[in-house]
Amino acid sequence: PPRYVLDWRFAVSFFVFLWNNAFNVAMGQIMIAMAVSIWFFTKNSEKSKTPVVLRSVKTIIRYHVGSVAFGSFIIAVIQFIRYLMQYFEKQAEAQKNRVLVLILKAVQCCIWLFEKCVKFLNKN
């Protein structure tokens, strides 16, 4: 028997946690990028007068929140699958199934690599 059982409520709340975490990280990255780009393309005589951060936040909320939410959703799905594989690995270890543990470790490695590639593409 499994040491602990996960129900659907825990899975949903954990996925929402992963999605919120990825969304907040992506919003921070896009805010920095937008503020720097607005500052860079502002004329030198107007740089001290322009509210860069406020303008960047308005632009992001108006035009880019959907893209940020979709990208963070993709990352959250990949992370959720990776953590699910970790859960299956712990269950296989508890049942002393070494072959399944090795297969799940290989799958986790592939998912980790895929997650890093998607994060790189999502950031840039």
Side-chain angles (χ1 to χ4, degrees):
R3 292 185 358 212
Y4 48 90
V5 178
L6 301 179
D7 63 341
W8 66 272
R9 291 172 296 197
F10 176 79
V12 168
S13 63
F14 185 64
F15 177 75
V16 168
F17 167 75
L18 291 174
W19 194 2
N20 282 328
N21 187 29
F23 183 79
N24 289 333
V25 168
M27 283 296 284
Q29 290 172 347
I30 197 170
M31 279 186 196
I32 291 171
M34 183 67 74
V36 169
S37 67
I38 288 173
W39 176 83
F40 185 78
F41 290 110
T42 304
K43 294 179 183 177
N44 285 337
S45 61
E46 299 174 10
K47 281 196 180 189
S48 62
K49 301 173 190 171
T50 307
V52 175
V53 176
L54 182 63
R55 194 167 145 207
S56 67
V57 168
K58 283 170 138 179
T59 305
I60 290 165
I61 289 174
R62 185 168 183 186
Y63 297 111
H64 302 289
V65 171
S67 300
V68 171
F70 185 66
S72 60
F73 175 78
I74 292 171
I75 289 176
V77 168
I78 295 168
Q79 286 177 339
F80 185 77
I81 292 170
R82 188 167 58 95
Y83 285 118
L84 190 65
M85 292 299 127
Q86 280 183 337
Y87 172 73
F88 291 154
E89 178 190 346
K90 294 294 180 189
Q91 296 300 321
E93 281 179 3
Q95 295 176 358
K96 309 249 189 289
N97 190 344
R98 293 184 187 201
V99 175
L100 187 59
V101 169
L102 291 174
I103 291 171
L104 288 171
K105 284 188 182 196
V107 169
Q108 283 181 47
C109 184
C110 294
I111 293 172
W112 176 82
L113 183 65
F114 182 64
E115 177 185 348
K116 293 299 175 187
C117 292
V118 169
K119 278 186 178 181
F120 176 76
L121 291 173
N122 199 22
K123 184 176 181 179
N124 296 323

